[in-house]
Amino acid sequence: MLLDHWFAQPLRHIPRALLLATLIGTLPLSASANPPMVPQRDAQTAFGGTLPARDAALLDASLTSHIERQRLLNSQHLAGSSSRTLDFFAKTFTVIRGGKRTVFDAELLGTWWPEDRRWEWTAVERTWNDPDLKDPKRKSFATGSAQTRLYGREHGIDILQADTAQLASEEAAWYLCAFAAQLHQATGVLVGISREQVAGGKDGQTAVVKRYYLLSHPKVAEAPAAGDTGKAKAPAR
């Protein structure tokens, strides 16, 4: 699922996270359905033939559920929506559709730099190898990539452990997201696209950046009427 945000002004004096949160939280989003984030090649090919056979098979096995997950996310929540807002600080994604307001938990999973073909797992509030993550009662504290990277550590999967990785294609990043969504039992994956100042680059030099979010725990309520500043009704259970 894709959200397009193109901003190219060199606002270097504004903290990057704050700038991202502000722009994503205020720019209008397209109401049309988004194209599916589905690889057209098997995992081994998408990764340029560099994966151990076992790891490639594991990623391939996650694709079927990923395709269905993305299809349902689009058909049940995104297609025909009139408003979409991604709040970086609150870690929420809000959709207004057919008189209903749905709020998802939105955890940043990782970032893809297309020009460099570089993937980076997001930093997490709790370190990804925190012993508490092994306790089912504490897993709710895991953010972003923590649980995925813990799985990689416990099962010896290098591509899930490395902080950053050079990938042969963006399809490889999609496979990582598909596996993470399956592991987290997420509702789906969302992609935010922006154009940002290149660190250490020439003045005004920008590059496309894509951030992948895991969506989960949708909470549905009646959408507030136009001009209504009051609170929405309590989410449906």
Side-chain angles (χ1 to χ4, degrees):
M1 301 298 150
L2 307 176
L3 299 182
D4 296 318
H5 300 285
W6 297 98
F7 51 97
Q9 298 301 318
L11 305 177
R12 290 172 293 177
H13 301 295
I14 300 177
R16 179 172 161 182
L18 177 59
L19 175 62
L20 178 66
T22 301
L23 291 174
I24 285 182
T26 58
L27 287 179
L29 303 179
S30 171
S32 62
N34 290 309
M37 192 182 71
V38 178
Q40 300 301 307
R41 299 176 293 176
D42 62 79
Q44 190 63 269
T45 304
F47 278 84
T50 61
L51 288 178
R54 181 203 61 170
D55 298 352
L58 187 69
L59 294 177
D60 282 329
S62 70
L63 192 58
T64 300
S65 61
H66 169 72
I67 293 173
E68 179 63 12
R69 184 179 290 113
Q70 295 298 97
R71 184 189 69 80
L72 290 175
L73 173 64
N74 189 67
S75 64
Q76 295 181 358
H77 300 287
L78 300 185
S81 59
S82 58
S83 173
R84 305 177 196 175
T85 304
L86 181 62
D87 189 318
F88 184 84
F89 285 152
K91 297 183 180 181
T92 59
F93 176 61
T94 302
V95 179
I96 305 296
R97 177 178 183 260
K100 298 293 184 181
R101 177 177 181 268
T102 304
V103 180
F104 296 87
D105 292 342
E107 293 286 357
L108 180 58
L109 180 65
T111 304
W112 167 250
W113 282 267
E115 293 183 14
D116 298 336
R117 294 187 177 183
R118 177 165 54 95
W119 170 264
E120 181 179 81
W121 293 105
T122 188
V124 295
E125 292 176 359
R126 298 178 66 81
T127 58
W128 68 271
N129 59 348
D130 193 318
D132 280 344
L133 296 180
K134 295 184 179 183
D135 181 352
K137 295 180 180 179
R138 304 287 293 176
K139 279 189 177 180
S140 60
F141 289 89
T143 60
S145 63
Q147 192 173 341
T148 306
R149 301 188 71 194
L150 176 63
Y151 184 95
R153 183 187 186 195
E154 293 181 332
H155 294 81
I157 303 174
D158 291 341
I159 195 62
L160 300 183
Q161 296 186 66
D163 291 341
T164 63
Q166 295 296 129
L167 301 181
S169 68
E170 186 174 5
E171 286 184 311
W174 293 351
Y175 271 105
L176 296 178
C177 291
F179 179 77
Q182 176 177 285
L183 187 65
H184 285 257
Q185 297 183 332
T187 305
V189 177
L190 186 80
V191 186
I193 307 175
S194 61
R195 183 173 286 277
E196 300 180 14
Q197 180 74 38
V198 176
K202 297 179 180 179
D203 189 34
Q205 182 181 358
T206 62
V208 172
V209 178
K210 298 186 178 183
R211 290 183 172 84
Y212 291 76
Y213 296 82
L214 289 179
L215 301 183
S216 61
H217 305 100
K219 304 171 185 65
V220 182
E222 295 295 327
D228 183 1
T229 58
K231 294 182 178 180
K233 296 180 180 178
R237 294 184 181 276

